[in-house]
Structure formats: structure tokens, C-alpha cells
Amino acid sequence: WMTCVSLGIILSISRKEEQVKEQLANQEKKQEEFKRILEKQQELNYSQNLKKIAKKQKVKKYVCLTLTTKDKIGLRQNSLKGLSKEIIKIRAIKFDINFNIESVFSSLVRPVDLTVESDFEKKYGITQTDLKNAKVFVQVMKQFLRWIKNDDVEIYCWSLVDYQQLYDETCVKASDSIQFFDLYKKFIDLQLSLCNTIEANKNITLDDALKLFHLKDKYIVSKPCNMKIAYILKKMLHQEFYKFEM
């Protein structure tokens, strides 16, 4: 009888030990599962934080801009506060940091002086009717600002002629548009930058700059000025200079 009792006690203790072991094993499994869930959540949080940081950090972009202007011929010389020309077209190309084209901005601009010369359409491919139907300077510049968005951009033009025309025309037609003047602070004269870099003793033309960087093949020569400016800028940033004679 005592032997049976002892055996029963031993079996009871063994079952309890097994239960304890099973409970411990279950706890370990739960801890491992909780650890995996926690690690996944941490990875997700890390990924989301990276995306938030990426959104906050602005990656620099390049904008190459050119203008088309017409002479003022139908208004009195002292009208428009001394402007001798008016912008009739703004064209710009936005590139990412690797010089892939992101988007293109192109818009005609309605001038105050709608008088055109006899060869105007042949010269520019633009009719007087096209100009009459175009938006005015302030409207186009607001569109241009929306196109820039909040990107961290550098705006390149060849020589200060285009920059000066935009600035002067803004002073005459939109002097209270502070956002336009803020935008002009982002302008860089690529011609001047190149002249300073190679210590040229005179201004370099766009064609001369293409020669400097061995960019005179038919494919590039046929491209619009915006693209030519972009090719030169890319070469300058990569410091790919060649022997050149003016």
C-alpha cells in the first residue's frame, strides 16, 4: 500500500514537472513570438522614419531656362518704363541630380505691345494671334512658380541677359510680387561661372562652350538652348575640361 502511495506521489510530481516545463516552453514561444513582432514593428517604424526624413530633405534639382523676346515697336519709346523688349515665351527644363529630365515648362506670354514685324512669324514660328491668346506675364510667372513647386532648385541661364529681362519686366509689370524676386535669387549665370572657372579674359559664347566640352556633334547642336546649357552644366560639375583655344 505504501509503495502505491509513493508511486502515486512520484507520478504526481513528474506530471507537475512536465506541466512546469510545458508552461516554460509556452512562455519561451510567446516571448520569441513577441520578440519577432517587436522587431517587425521596429523595422516598420525605421522604414517609416526614413521615408519621413526623405520627404523633409530636399534633393537639389537643376533648371535650365531660356527666353524669347520681341522688340517694342508699336508703343512710345517712354512707355513701359523704358523696357525695349518684352518676353513672349518662357521655356525651362527641370533635371534631377543625375540630369534626367523631370519635366518641361513652356508658355507663350502676351506682351503689352502686340505689334509685330512682317517677318515675325517666320522668325519665331509664333503668330500675332498666338500672342493675343496667350496669358499675361504675371499669370505665366505664377504658373512657373507652381511648376518649380518647393523644390530646392538652381536656375541656370546663359549670360545675365535673360535674368535681367525677367527682373526688369517684373519691376514694370509685377513690382509687388515678392515671390518672383525671391525666385530670381536662385538664378546662376552659367556663362560667367565658366569664364571664372577657366579664367577666360573675355565672354565665352554658347557655341564656344560646346567646343570646349567636345559637344559639337549634330545631335547636341540640333537641341534647344536649354539642353545645350544642361550638357555644359553637367560637364562643368564633373570637371570634364579639355584643351580649348578661343
Side-chain angles (χ1 to χ4, degrees):
W1 179 78
M2 290 295 293
T3 303
C4 290
V5 171
S6 299
L7 189 61
I9 293 170
I10 292 170
L11 289 173
S12 177
I13 292 171
S14 297
R15 279 197 296 271
K16 285 183 178 179
E17 287 178 348
E18 287 176 2
Q19 288 174 353
V20 169
K21 285 180 181 179
E22 188 176 345
Q23 287 176 354
L24 289 172
N26 288 335
Q27 285 179 356
E28 286 179 2
K29 283 181 181 179
K30 287 179 179 178
Q31 286 176 351
E32 287 295 326
E33 187 176 351
F34 178 75
K35 187 179 178 181
R36 283 195 297 271
I37 293 172
L38 187 62
E39 286 175 350
K40 284 184 179 179
Q41 187 61 46
Q42 287 174 338
E43 287 177 6
L44 181 63
N45 291 341
Y46 180 71
S47 176
Q48 289 174 341
N49 286 336
L50 283 180
K51 288 179 180 178
K52 287 179 182 178
I53 291 169
K55 283 182 179 179
K56 289 181 180 179
Q57 289 179 338
K58 294 179 180 179
V59 178
K60 189 174 291 297
K61 296 177 183 179
Y62 307 113
V63 171
C64 296
L65 177 140
T66 54
L67 303 177
T68 303
T69 59
K70 68 173 282 294
D71 292 330
K72 184 180 67 176
I73 57 176
L75 296 175
R76 293 192 309 274
Q77 198 63 32
N78 61 353
S79 62
L80 287 176
K81 297 182 181 178
L83 283 179
S84 60
K85 297 176 182 291
E86 287 188 89
I87 298 167
I88 57 172
K89 187 174 184 178
I90 299 176
R91 180 176 168 82
I93 305 175
K94 189 191 296 181
F95 301 87
D96 65 17
I97 198 75
N98 296 312
F99 282 89
N100 299 308
I101 295 177
E102 279 202 355
S103 60
V104 175
F105 179 90
S106 183
S107 178
L108 292 178
V109 183
R110 177 189 170 102
V112 175
D113 176 18
L114 285 164
T115 309
V116 297
E117 297 168 332
S118 57
D119 63 342
F120 179 83
E121 185 176 349
K122 183 179 179 181
K123 187 177 180 180
Y124 297 108
I126 302 170
T127 67
Q128 190 178 45
T129 303
D130 292 333
L131 293 181
K132 287 180 180 178
N133 293 332
K135 293 180 178 179
V136 297
F137 177 78
V138 174
Q139 292 173 315
V140 175
M141 284 304 298
K142 285 181 179 179
Q143 285 182 328
F144 184 68
L145 276 173
R146 287 195 293 272
W147 178 73
I148 292 290
K149 299 176 183 175
N150 292 318
D151 292 334
D152 181 12
V153 299
E154 291 177 349
I155 304 175
Y156 289 87
C157 51
W158 190 258
S159 85
L160 284 176
V161 174
D162 284 348
Y163 165 82
Q164 196 64 54
Q165 181 66 37
L166 273 171
Y167 188 90
D168 291 347
E169 207 153 325
T170 301
C171 289
V172 173
K173 299 178 179 179
S175 58
D176 59 342
S177 298
I178 303 300
Q179 68 270 32
F180 296 169
F181 293 105
D182 288 340
L183 179 68
Y184 300 153
K185 295 174 184 177
K186 300 175 183 290
F187 272 63
I188 296 173
D189 178 1
L190 190 61
Q191 183 191 51
L192 180 61
S193 298
L194 178 57
C195 289
N196 290 339
T197 301
I198 65 173
E199 298 181 350
N201 55 13
K202 63 178 182 178
N203 281 338
I204 298 174
T205 66
L206 191 59
D207 281 342
D208 286 337
L210 292 173
K211 290 177 186 176
L212 169 61
F213 294 109
H214 295 183
L215 294 170
K216 286 295 286 183
D217 59 76
K218 291 181 180 179
Y219 173 76
I220 294 175
V221 170
S222 64
K223 292 290 183 181
C225 288
N226 309 69
M227 289 300 298
K228 292 175 183 176
I229 292 171
Y231 282 120
I232 293 168
L233 175 60
K234 184 177 180 181
K235 291 285 188 179
M236 284 182 66
L237 292 176
H238 293 154
Q239 297 185 345
E240 296 179 22
F241 294 89
Y242 301 94
K243 185 177 179 181
F244 174 64
E245 294 180 3
M246 291 288 287

